[in-house]
Amino acid sequence: MASPRDGLEAVETKDSAGRRGSSGVEVVFPSDPDVPAPLCPHGPTLLFVKVSQGKEETRRFYACSACRDRKDCNFFQWEDEKLSEARLAAREAYNRRCQPPLSQRQCVERYLKLIELPLTQRKFCQRCQQLLLPDEWERHHEHQVMGDISITQLRRPSQLLYPLENKKANAQYLFADRSCQFLVDLLSTLGFRRVLCVGTPRLHELIMLTASGDKKSNIKSLLLDIDFRYSQFYMEDSFCHYNMFNHHFFDGKAALEVCRTFLQEDEGEGVIMVADPPFGGLVEPLAVTFKKLIAMWKEGQSQDDSHKELPIFWIFPYFFESRICQFFPSFCMLDYQVDYDNHALYKHGKTGRKQSPVRIFTNIPPKKIILPTEEGYRFCPLCQRYVSLENQHCEHCNSCTSKDGRKWNHCFLCKKCVKPSWIHCSICSHCALPGHSCEGSKDGCFICGELGHKRSTCPNISTSKRANKAVRKQKQRKSNKMKMETTKGQSMNHTSVTRKKKRRKRVHQYLCS
Ligand code: SAH
Ligand code: ZN
Ligand code: ZN
Ligand code: ZN
Ligand code: ZN
């Protein structure tokens, strides 16, 4: 069963400390950039190499950029493999069959028809996750169908659709209202007039709602997301079916032009990109994609603006800081903890639950970003940024050093601040969790990259999560059977979505499965 694809999801997480672990799969860039990567239903594939014991195997292979799990997209091809004409043709036909049944234009037409109907005739099939026109009711009569879909509901698709959760890399974690509202207020305070939402459907929706309710704050938003279900609710200029791991627009050139026009409007003035990629995803391909979007924005600049950067919010866990800053040296990490609705474990600290590890990485000067004092954030005049309540300024490091929201302690031997749970180990000659195993700690943890523990004992995963793991695995097997839409691109056709409520309640995971 073991294939070079196994372990794909672990690829970059272990790398967060900028170190290469002992085994896993890493993304590499082709030696000859003129050789186009083969295509899977999700656009150009990426080139990977399997790494074991710190060494790269020599044979590299192409696999899907979007799906970490073979069950969602099983594309596999050795780099040096030659395919017969017949196999290439079969693959092409397969890729075509996997595309969404409707174009964005057709979706728009359906939407316009639907809103013309009286309330009682506006229906939504929960099983197919699809808005229904009257002549389609019959086909769904055995499904669970919601009636009386109001305009308000149509404007909040992230509440009508259930979050996708069957795929490791594409699981949807929707912002909690508190965090979403904070972001919208912040964007408007900072004076942005356009927001390119990459993988942020709920933020997109709240921006659109705010704009329609208040003529003064007329921020425009364009959503780029792989979740095709959203195409039912938006016009062509506000949604593009998109893969952020390879910068692929499923609707081709027309969609790419929508994005370009959006970025280049007003010579690129007043636009920001906000991305909240799946955390199981790879940092490097994301960075490559973001650089392409930045380049697209730059093309629209007049010469004298050439030093400017496209403002970006990249929302990601704090332990990816060094990795992200490697690609974007001008970024800094804010202390603000981003909360999610459907993530039971990472809600705001004040509720007594575990604090969220998710932060905002940005190239906007942090002093301009005022964090809510009512949630305990305060301004540190020395660091010139807002920090969380317990993040104390260390006079030795000359900075507010906490990354996780807890008070960190300065270690004079390590000459830096460390997590409160750590002690200095004279054998390893650095700080680590008490009870760590001193030998074999060279590889670091797959989840947070730190030395001294392994993935299974990572402090970044709570105990309850670990306890749930066995249960979850079992359920995962079941839900994997219920193959879903975005990978196949057939969101509006799929048929097997039962036990939705139970699954929603389930404890989700960001990184480890
Ligand atoms: N917090 C955000 C949602 C983040 S979840 C919000 O509330 O708006 C991650 C999002 O990225 C999901 O919407 C998911 O559909 C999308 N996504 C996952 N894989 C993707 C890919 N390869 N390309 C583009 N979008 C992707
Ligand atoms: Zn694929
Ligand atoms: Zn210190
Ligand atoms: Zn120490
Ligand atoms: Zn030790």
Side-chain angles (χ1 to χ4, degrees):
M1 277 293 278
S3 111
R5 282 204 51 148
D6 290 336
L8 222 55
E9 84 281 6
V11 179
E12 209 140 354
T13 41
K14 67 169 188 297
D15 235 4
S16 58
R19 200 177 28 245
R20 178 173 282 182
S22 69
S23 46
V25 183
E26 290 184 5
V27 73
V28 283
F29 288 86
S31 27
D32 182 357
D34 291 334
V35 177
L39 307 177
C40 78
H42 307 94
T45 52
L46 295 178
L47 195 55
F48 293 90
V49 66
K50 191 167 187 182
V51 179
S52 44
Q53 248 69 65
K55 280 204 277 297
E56 283 184 10
E57 284 182 3
T58 44
R59 215 167 174 203
R60 313 192 291 181
F61 62 92
Y62 293 101
C64 182
S65 62
C67 309
R68 297 284 88 81
D69 194 326
R70 249 185 308 169
K71 293 190 194 81
D72 298 318
C73 179
N74 64 3
F75 187 98
F76 180 89
Q77 185 185 323
W78 291 113
E79 186 184 21
D80 54 9
E81 193 176 341
K82 291 273 170 285
L83 268 65
S84 68
E85 288 298 319
R87 267 189 73 195
L88 285 172
R91 177 187 285 167
E92 209 173 293
Y94 173 76
N95 288 351
R96 229 176 301 118
R97 273 203 313 280
C98 287
Q99 294 314 301
L102 299 176
S103 72
Q104 179 65 24
R105 178 74 258 176
Q106 288 170 308
C107 289
V108 168
E109 277 159 17
R110 288 171 55 88
Y111 181 84
L112 295 173
K113 266 192 215 156
L114 189 104
I115 54 173
E116 289 294 310
L117 296 171
L119 186 66
T120 51
Q121 292 188 30
R122 295 201 290 253
K123 297 188 196 245
F124 176 75
C125 177
Q126 290 181 305
R127 191 202 273 191
C128 304
Q129 293 282 291
Q130 184 186 351
L131 292 167
L132 302 179
L133 294 171
D135 60 342
E136 296 158 337
W137 295 350
E138 177 53 31
R139 246 186 293 146
H140 300 261
H141 80 275
E142 279 179 28
H143 303 175
Q144 196 163 350
V145 171
M146 268 168 86
D148 294 354
I149 304 294
S150 67
I151 297 296
T152 314
Q153 280 171 305
L154 290 172
R155 285 187 174 156
R156 302 231 59 182
S158 79
Q159 293 183 337
L160 205 55
L161 303 167
Y162 54 78
L164 302 179
E165 49 181 76
N166 64 326
K167 291 186 296 318
K168 287 173 193 165
N170 294 19
Q172 284 177 321
Y173 295 108
L174 298 168
F175 294 128
D177 288 339
R178 195 182 62 84
S179 284
C180 207
Q181 194 61 58
F182 165 76
L183 284 170
V184 174
D185 292 345
L186 177 61
L187 294 169
S188 133
T189 305
L190 292 171
F192 290 108
R193 299 185 300 274
R194 296 188 313 286
V195 184
L196 183 69
C197 285
V198 182
T200 58
R202 182 158 279 177
L203 177 65
H204 175 66
E205 156 184 318
L206 191 61
I207 294 170
M208 306 272 276
L209 272 174
T210 312
S212 71
D214 175 4
K215 289 282 162 293
K216 271 185 283 143
S217 116
N218 214 349
I219 306 186
K220 283 205 287 185
S221 180
L222 170 62
L223 174 63
L224 309 183
D225 202 289
I226 203 165
D227 185 351
F228 183 68
R229 299 173 306 168
Y230 281 97
S231 62
Q232 301 175 85
F233 302 90
Y234 296 115
M235 301 294 119
E236 286 141 305
D237 61 352
S238 54
F239 176 79
C240 299
H241 189 205
Y242 178 73
N243 181 353
M244 66 168 104
F245 289 106
N246 58 6
H247 187 55
H248 174 70
F249 287 85
F250 291 82
D251 268 346
K253 204 154 177 357
L256 178 100
E257 287 312 318
V258 167
C259 179
R260 189 196 304 281
T261 307
F262 189 84
L263 283 171
Q264 296 182 353
E265 196 179 314
D266 283 345
E267 293 197 328
E269 258 313 290
V271 68
I272 181 172
M273 181 185 101
V274 183
D276 188 5
F279 306 145
L282 306 154
V283 172
E284 192 159 6
L286 288 172
V288 170
T289 289
F290 297 160
K291 286 184 197 273
K292 285 182 181 158
L293 289 166
I294 292 168
M296 202 185 258
W297 168 79
K298 262 209 143 89
E299 283 163 24
Q301 297 266 291
S302 51
Q303 276 309 40
D304 47 334
D305 282 341
S306 56
H307 60 281
K308 276 206 208 154
E309 285 185 37
L310 170 68
I312 293 177
F313 283 165
W314 179 347
I315 300 169
F316 228 51
Y318 72 83
F319 33 87
F320 283 97
E321 184 182 20
S322 63
R323 201 74 181 114
I324 291 179
C325 292
Q326 217 177 313
F327 292 106
F328 296 101
S330 66
F331 280 22
C332 60
M333 185 176 89
L334 306 178
D335 255 18
Y336 185 77
Q337 298 191 2
V338 180
D339 281 344
Y340 293 85
D341 233 11
N342 50 342
H343 202 295
L345 289 161
Y346 294 142
K347 297 234 174 129
H348 193 242
K350 283 204 176 142
T351 63
R353 276 178 279 209
K354 195 172 161 78
Q355 304 191 47
S356 167
V358 184
R359 303 289 183 271
I360 300 169
F361 294 86
T362 184
N363 51 358
I364 296 173
K367 64 167 186 247
K368 288 196 185 163
I369 301 174
I370 304 167
L371 304 184
T373 47
E374 60 280 12
E375 285 168 38
Y377 298 99
R378 61 182 176 83
F379 187 69
C380 173
L382 295 163
C383 295
Q384 287 287 301
R385 65 179 185 113
Y386 285 80
V387 294
S388 57
L389 187 64
E390 298 197 53
N391 192 358
Q392 288 185 11
H393 192 86
C394 169
E395 55 177 25
H396 310 289
C397 298
N398 193 26
S399 112
C400 288
T401 45
S402 168
K403 303 286 183 192
D404 62 8
R406 296 178 297 168
K407 183 186 173 301
W408 284 24
N409 302 321
H410 191 81
C411 170
F412 288 93
L413 293 164
C414 292
K415 298 196 184 64
K416 64 175 185 183
C417 282
V418 297
K419 289 184 176 179
S421 50
W422 287 17
I423 50 162
H424 195 84
C425 167
S426 52
I427 301 168
C428 299
S429 60
H430 57 72
C431 283
L433 272 179
H436 65 277
S437 72
C438 295
E439 323 78 41
S441 58
K442 283 182 225 72
D443 295 338
C445 165
F446 261 52
I447 311 277
C448 70
E450 270 149 11
L451 300 169
H453 64 261
K454 294 289 181 192
R455 176 196 191 98
S456 54
T457 51
C458 179
N460 292 302
I461 315 169
S462 76
T463 358
S464 55
K465 254 180 167 175
R466 254 175 262 138
N468 273 324
K469 206 167 164 178
V471 181
R472 220 193 48 250
K473 276 229 162 126
Q474 212 167 14
K475 288 191 176 172
Q476 181 90 42
R477 253 172 252 138
K478 276 186 196 162
S479 73
N480 275 334
K481 274 197 208 136
M482 303 190 256
K483 269 216 142 162
M484 289 222 327
E485 45 294 322
T486 53
T487 44
K488 291 273 168 213
Q490 290 168 338
S491 50
M492 293 155 66
N493 272 351
H494 80 93
T495 48
S496 52
V497 186
T498 50
R499 280 174 253 163
K500 170 179 116 205
K501 286 219 178 84
K502 252 195 235 158
R503 284 164 55 213
R504 244 193 222 163
K505 273 196 219 133
R506 214 165 65 208
V507 179
H508 304 300
Q509 291 218 302
Y510 277 124
L511 287 161
C512 65
S513 53

